[in-house]
Amino acid sequence: MSQALPVTNPIPSVLTNAKVYRDGVDQLGIGTVEMPDFEYLTESLAGLGIAGELDVPVAGHFKSLALKIKWNVPTPNGAALLQTAGHHLEVRGSIQELDAGSGSFVNKPVKVVTRAMPRKSGIGKFEPGKKMEPETELELYYIKMWMNGQELVEVDKLNFVFNLNGVDMLADIRANLGM
């Protein structure tokens, strides 16, 4: 009897599919999601003893984090995201990896949890036989991402939290501030 070999040299290849939920239960609609880029706030450093100018990242402080959802058509659940309140959204997906050792595919879960406020929303375009493609844009004040059960990143702007690969990147700063 042959034993399955452990996965060796996994090659991430494709997001097989994903769903977006509001409050963990309601599927919002059909479309695509564009996640935000993590861009640090920076301050320009220049002066004596430095050969030029350097933009220095401010630890754990990020610029605006915008999440964009492009719908196929407008939906009541999508329209509800215009309510000026905090919205809890989850994006759950499956990433397909190729095991280079065995040549087989392995599917791994990916999950992103966000808390967001509305920024803008559109109705889309009216064209016969085509998707309307309305877009909703949300401002994230919280985001946490896991891949295959492992926490990758967590940013909670309102509670001064930034965890990266399970490491609390703001622990020293919170301690310095008496938090």
Side-chain angles (χ1 to χ4, degrees):
M1 180 155 79
S2 69
Q3 223 176 15
L5 296 173
V7 174
T8 58
N9 193 21
I11 301 170
S13 57
V14 68
L15 176 72
T16 307
N17 213 325
K19 283 189 168 192
V20 181
Y21 298 93
R22 182 174 179 214
D23 299 323
V25 291
D26 296 328
Q27 183 177 348
L28 287 180
I30 306 297
T32 60
V33 176
E34 183 180 329
M35 290 291 174
D37 291 331
F38 293 96
E39 185 179 353
Y40 281 102
L41 288 177
T42 60
E43 182 61 27
S44 190
L45 182 63
L48 299 174
I50 297 174
E53 190 175 282
L54 178 67
D55 283 347
V56 180
V58 180
H61 290 62
F62 295 93
K63 291 186 178 182
S64 173
L65 298 170
L67 180 135
K68 297 176 186 173
I69 304 172
K70 185 180 277 189
W71 312 96
N72 287 351
V73 295
T75 67
N77 283 335
L81 294 176
L82 275 174
Q83 181 183 0
T84 52
H87 299 285
H88 174 97
L89 301 178
E90 288 184 22
V91 180
R92 293 176 170 262
S94 185
I95 292 179
Q96 179 178 292
E97 291 184 349
L98 173 62
D99 180 352
S102 68
S104 61
F105 290 103
V106 178
N107 294 296
K108 295 185 177 176
V110 60
K111 176 178 163 183
V112 177
V113 172
T114 68
R115 290 187 209 113
M117 299 175 280
R119 286 175 76 178
K120 66 179 183 176
S121 188
I123 295 172
K125 60 185 179 224
F126 282 74
E127 189 176 344
K130 302 287 184 181
K131 294 184 271 186
M132 293 176 70
E133 297 183 325
E135 209 169 80
T136 300
E137 189 172 320
L138 301 161
E139 177 67 29
L140 302 184
Y141 54 91
Y142 178 87
I143 183 168
K144 188 170 185 175
M145 180 181 186
W146 296 264
M147 286 186 75
N148 204 31
Q150 178 185 350
E151 179 186 313
L152 297 183
V153 64
E154 177 182 29
V155 173
D156 185 343
K157 289 183 172 188
L158 302 181
N159 292 297
F160 216 84
V161 172
F162 173 42
N163 293 315
L164 185 59
N165 289 320
V167 177
D168 185 345
M169 305 301 286
L170 290 175
D172 291 344
I173 296 169
R174 280 195 312 276
N176 293 343
L177 298 175
M179 296 173 77

